[in-house]
Amino acid sequence: MGKFVKEILDKEEFSREDIISLLESEGEDRTLLFTKSSEIKEKYIGNKVWYRGLIEFANVCGKDCLYCGIRKGNRNLERYNLTDDEILAAARFAHANNYGSIALQSGELESPFVTDRIGNLLHRIKEMSNGELGITLSVGEQEPEVYKSWFDAGAHRYLLRIESTNRLLYSKIHPDNSNHSFDRRMSCLKNLQDIGYQTGTGVMIGLPFQTLNDLAGDLLFMKEFNIDMCGMGPYIEHADTPLIEYSESLMPLKERFDLTLKMIALIRIMMKDINIVAATALQAIDPIGREKAVRIGANIVMPNITPGKYRDSYKLYDNKPCTDDSAEDCQGCLEARMSLADAEVVYGEWGDSKHYSERRDKNTKNTENYKQ
Ligand code: 5AD
Ligand code: FES
């Protein structure tokens, strides 16, 4: 077995079968996989981590994804929407603490009000930070003009997880209606990339009905689509969602966790210079889950800087960590955690994906001086 995995790891490109073998690897083979991915991270990125201060500014959502705790149909939670001043205060905290970037995340809503509100916030955050804070948006599917207006207002990265690239599996974990269309989600991703965003996507790992073949397809898609950023995390059931009825069929949490680490290691090997997030959901399973992800390939961590009183209500899944903490608590805690992973936190830099700058230079030969 050892020799077989070693041979695969020496290849330039992985086939679907290669990926499945690596996802199945155990013992020494698994160690070989993680050693290879750590080496690649070290070589292409260095042993570094960049922060994106995460502001979960509203848990109001227009969609009803069957796995998600903040789905519209869940009446068992209080809905909140931070005021603009609260959002600006959180952004100011990030700036004052020299985080290079923030990420604005919320449930998915499409309306002229939301479009204007976010556009306005982007302007104000840029102004408040003298253009120094990088801004990632993660507010779901929108029309191309909306994406464009936000890009022009200063957002330069966008995260939109495809959740699963197998359209049949996608249809099993979403309601069957036009508000949850696989094709629309794909075209949104394409639009984001065409507009010029650093574009990130990802999937959940360990979903009901999901196979290793599906996960291999997800990785091949990310490579083919040429993403700049990847955020993948384990699926964790939420008691107030329809998918809870399939809990018995799931693999144990520890296995979902391990499979997520293997997926992260694989995407690092396949796409050496992209940004990879160590998802918070990892820490819901293993207290040092994010540190493990950083060791084997992730280079982005998203400290939660949402005001403490709202955190309990942004529960996408059960056992979400750090919901009792404040932004200051997360700050000290994370820095200590990253040094446990022997990683150095880089302050005051956007930490753009190198992949993006190279892709952009190749495409446009644009010499505009971006802050990396
Ligand atoms: N378990 C893990 N991740 C989840 N998400 C939503 N619900 C869950 C869950 N139950 C993820 C989705 C979404 C992101 C914001 O959170 O991938 O895109
Ligand atoms: Fe809110 Fe899916 S339920 S995005």
Side-chain angles (χ1 to χ4, degrees), residues 33 52 62 70 86 110 114 137 146 170-171 175 207 227 238 245 249 268 271 299 320 325 354 357:
L33 167 65
R52 313 279 180 249
I70 66 167
E86 284 172 319
E110 292 187 70
V114 168
L137 281 179
V146 176
Y170 190 93
S171 73
L207 286 161
I227 59 167
H238 187 297
E245 82 171 277
S249 70
R268 173 57 73 211
M271 301 192 76
N299 66 318
K320 190 174 173 215
D325 298 339
K354 284 193 197 159
S357 8

Side-chain angles (χ1 to χ4, degrees), residues 67-68 105 161 163 204 234-236 316-317:
Y67 43 83
C68 182
Q105 190 170 84
R161 286 194 182 174
E163 315 297 0
M204 282 176 287
Y235 163 66
I236 303 176
L316 306 169
Y317 44 82

Side-chain angles (χ1 to χ4, degrees), residues 319-337:
N319 285 326
K320 190 174 173 215
C322 309
T323 54
D324 295 332
D325 298 339
S326 68
E328 288 81 1
D329 293 339
C330 282
Q331 155 92 341
C333 163
L334 261 177
E335 174 140 358
R337 284 169 169 279

Side-chain angles (χ1 to χ4, degrees), residues 100-301:
S101 302
I102 56 168
L104 289 172
Q105 190 170 84
S106 70
E108 295 199 18
L109 284 181
E110 292 187 70
S111 76
F113 173 78
V114 168
T115 305
D116 289 349
R117 179 183 192 212
I118 293 178
N120 179 38
L121 279 165
L122 291 168
H123 281 298
R124 290 180 68 186
I125 293 169
K126 282 282 160 195
E127 192 181 278
M128 173 275 291
S129 68
N130 310 314
E132 284 166 10
L133 267 185
I135 308 180
T136 307
L137 281 179
S138 179
V139 295
E141 295 167 27
Q142 305 283 343
E143 289 299 307
E145 310 78 71
V146 176
Y147 285 148
K148 176 79 172 73
S149 72
W150 292 341
F151 185 75
D152 292 340
H156 60 129
R157 311 186 185 105
Y158 205 105
L159 284 173
L160 183 73
R161 286 194 182 174
I162 190 70
E163 315 297 0
S164 169
T165 57
N166 174 342
R167 69 168 64 234
L168 187 64
L169 174 55
Y170 190 93
S171 73
K172 289 182 183 165
I173 60 170
H174 294 97
D176 179 18
N177 60 37
S178 59
N179 197 22
H180 297 83
S181 147
F182 178 79
D183 290 327
R184 173 144 201 255
R185 205 156 181 90
M186 272 294 179
S187 66
C188 283
L189 263 184
K190 187 81 194 105
N191 292 336
L192 288 164
Q193 194 180 53
D194 289 346
I195 288 166
Y197 280 97
Q198 293 173 54
T199 307
T201 194
V203 296
M204 282 176 287
I205 295 155
L207 286 161
F209 322 111
Q210 193 178 43
T211 63
L212 294 186
N213 189 34
D214 293 332
L215 291 171
D218 294 336
L219 293 174
L220 290 167
F221 164 79
M222 292 185 221
K223 170 109 183 152
E224 158 84 27
F225 190 87
N226 207 6
I227 59 167
D228 304 300
M229 319 183 291
C230 177
M232 302 185 282
Y235 163 66
I236 303 176
E237 53 276 50
H238 187 297
D240 299 321
T241 60
L243 280 196
I244 196 75
E245 82 171 277
Y246 300 102
S247 301
E248 305 261 295
S249 70
L250 299 174
M251 66 178 83
L253 277 173
K254 283 267 173 240
E255 281 176 36
R256 279 178 249 168
F257 177 86
D258 196 59
L259 199 50
T260 304
L261 287 188
K262 288 175 181 164
M263 288 286 285
I264 292 176
L266 273 160
I267 198 70
R268 173 57 73 211
I269 299 171
M270 292 167 71
M271 301 192 76
K272 301 180 171 25
D273 54 0
I274 63 168
N275 277 347
I276 303 177
V277 186
T280 310
L282 286 165
Q283 201 190 323
I285 302 181
D286 182 326
I288 52 163
R290 284 185 292 185
E291 293 75 351
K292 289 181 180 171
V294 166
R295 269 194 190 280
I296 56 101
N299 66 318
I300 303 288
V301 171

